[in-house]
Every structure is written in C-alpha cells, then in structure tokens.
Amino acid sequence: MATLSFSINSSGLNTGICVSHKPVSRVGYLRTKVECKESRVGKKPIQVPSNVNLTFDGQFISVKGPLGELSRTYPNDIVIEREESILKVRKAVETRRANEMHGLFRTLIDNMVVGVSKGFEKQLILIGVGYRAQMEGNDLVLFLGFSHPVRMPVPEGLKVKVEENTRVIVSGYNKQSIGEFAAKVRKWRPPEPYKGKGIRYAGEVVRKKEGKAGKKK
C-alpha cells in the first residue's frame, strides 16, 4: 500500500512529496461448502400397487403392470431403493446435477408406475362452426375448415375415442406418448384469441383479445 507524506524545511516551505510503500498482506476469502437442498418432489415416496412388477438391472428399471410395460435408464447421480411396496429415489452425490435429476426422475418413475396400473388420458375439445372429429379404423379424422380432412394414424399403445363429434379422448399407459399425440392434434388448429375457435385441451383457459371497435358516428 502506498502512502503520501509532505516534507517541509525549517523555513516552512514544502520541498516535495515523498511516497512510501508498505507491504500489505494478501486479502483472504473464506470459502464455505454449499450443500444442495433436497428436492421436495424427489423425497416423496412412490407407492407401488400389488399388480405392478419392478425389475432392476444396474441403472435400468422396468415396470410391468396390467396395462403394459415401460422401461427407462436413470443416471448415476441418483439411487432407487425399494422397501416392500414403496420406492424411494435418493441422490447418490451432492451436486447440482444430482439435485436436478432427483425430482425429475422421481416424477418420471411415478408416471411409469401409475401408467401401467391405472393409465392416463387427455381430452381435446373442438370449437368452431363445422369442426368435428371421427374415427375411421385406426385413424383419427379431423374436419377443421380446410379443403380436405386431416387424417392422423393413432400410434401403437394409444387409444382414441370421439364423443359428441367434438370431444377427442386420448388414453394409454405412456404419459409422454399421450401428451405428444395430443399436442400434434392441437397444433392443426390452436385456439385463436378473438373468438376462441380451434382445438383446446379440456380445462384450458384461452385469453381473448378485444376486437377492433366499430367506427363511431
């Protein structure tokens, strides 16, 4: 660190400025270990019904139930423990990635268990004049105001049912496949913001915009 000092002679005149240097010790930083908090979702136990069989092989898990069979590979950052009819997902190491994978894979494995035992479904509603849907064999046929109907083959493992010509119900044991197919159907006519016409999920809230006001007289 440098300091300034002024030298003054006997007559009171300033003869100059002296600069002196003093060694300064290095500034130290106190490092504290930051522990990752446990995921609130990840620490919840997973209930396994009696009609569901689980198979473990290293980092591979297979879930088989009355509706089908699903399998997935999970990372080394987490550990899956089984206690009778309960599954617990724990972190193998204390890292940021392990904290992220903890809640994610707990949800994915829970979806597998629920899917093969109870199943999932997603409903779509068609709103618009002349909009309707029907099943022809294994194809979902949509009439959405185009010059031609939209024909969509139903993927393997999914079931599609049409009620009242305007309600499409997609069901199955793989939640991811259900969501992907429902999103593809909705993509053909997303709900527009003025009158709300289009395809929307059941319970979806569509924010409407105010149209142009008429000319004032």
Side-chain angles (χ1 to χ4, degrees):
M1 182 176 66
T3 58
L4 298 177
S5 61
F6 299 90
S7 58
I8 303 175
N9 57 14
S10 57
S11 60
L13 298 176
N14 187 0
T15 59
I17 300 174
C18 298
V19 181
S20 61
H21 296 272
K22 294 182 179 180
V24 179
S25 60
R26 297 182 63 182
V27 179
Y29 294 94
L30 180 62
R31 294 187 177 182
T32 58
K33 184 179 179 181
V34 180
E35 296 184 359
C36 298
K37 295 182 179 179
E38 190 173 9
S39 170
R40 289 180 294 178
V41 176
K43 65 184 180 182
K44 293 180 180 179
I46 300 173
Q47 298 290 336
V48 182
S50 58
N51 59 352
V52 174
N53 297 322
L54 300 176
T55 304
F56 293 92
D57 185 8
Q59 299 299 117
F60 180 84
I61 180 174
S62 176
V63 184
K64 187 176 182 180
L67 299 182
E69 183 176 2
L70 293 171
S71 59
R72 183 179 294 275
T73 302
Y74 57 92
N76 296 323
D77 304 272
I78 62 172
V79 177
I80 301 177
E81 300 175 354
R82 183 172 185 180
E83 300 176 1
E84 296 181 356
S85 61
I86 294 177
L87 279 182
K88 291 184 178 180
V89 181
R90 302 186 185 278
K91 292 183 290 184
V93 291
E94 287 292 336
T95 61
R96 178 177 295 180
R97 174 178 165 80
N99 198 46
E100 295 170 351
M101 297 295 104
H102 188 199
L104 171 63
F105 275 86
R106 188 270 173 196
T107 301
L108 293 176
I109 295 171
D110 182 60
N111 288 342
M112 292 167 63
V113 173
V114 175
V116 299
S117 59
K118 299 179 181 178
F120 295 99
E121 74 170 30
K122 207 168 190 66
Q123 297 188 18
L124 299 155
I125 301 174
L126 281 64
I127 299 177
V129 178
Y131 288 9
R132 68 184 191 277
Q134 65 185 36
M135 290 296 300
E136 292 184 3
N138 195 47
D139 293 346
L140 173 65
V141 182
L142 303 171
F143 299 89
L144 303 173
F146 298 123
S147 60
H148 60 281
V150 177
R151 187 177 296 271
M152 301 184 65
V154 178
E156 184 179 358
L158 298 184
K159 295 181 181 179
V160 178
K161 182 172 61 173
V162 178
E163 294 181 354
E164 301 175 357
N165 294 332
T166 57
R167 183 181 295 268
V168 179
I169 303 174
V170 185
S171 59
Y173 58 87
N174 191 331
K175 189 174 184 180
Q176 180 178 345
S177 299
I178 294 171
E180 289 176 354
F181 182 75
K184 290 179 181 178
V185 175
R186 183 183 181 275
K187 191 176 180 180
W188 282 104
R189 279 291 192 190
E192 53 92 17
Y194 294 101
K195 295 184 179 180
K197 292 168 47 177
I199 304 175
R200 66 176 68 180
Y201 298 118
E204 180 182 359
V205 178
V206 178
R207 293 185 177 181
K208 295 184 179 180
K209 296 181 179 179
E210 185 178 355
K212 294 182 179 179
K215 186 177 180 181
K216 296 182 180 180
K217 295 182 180 181

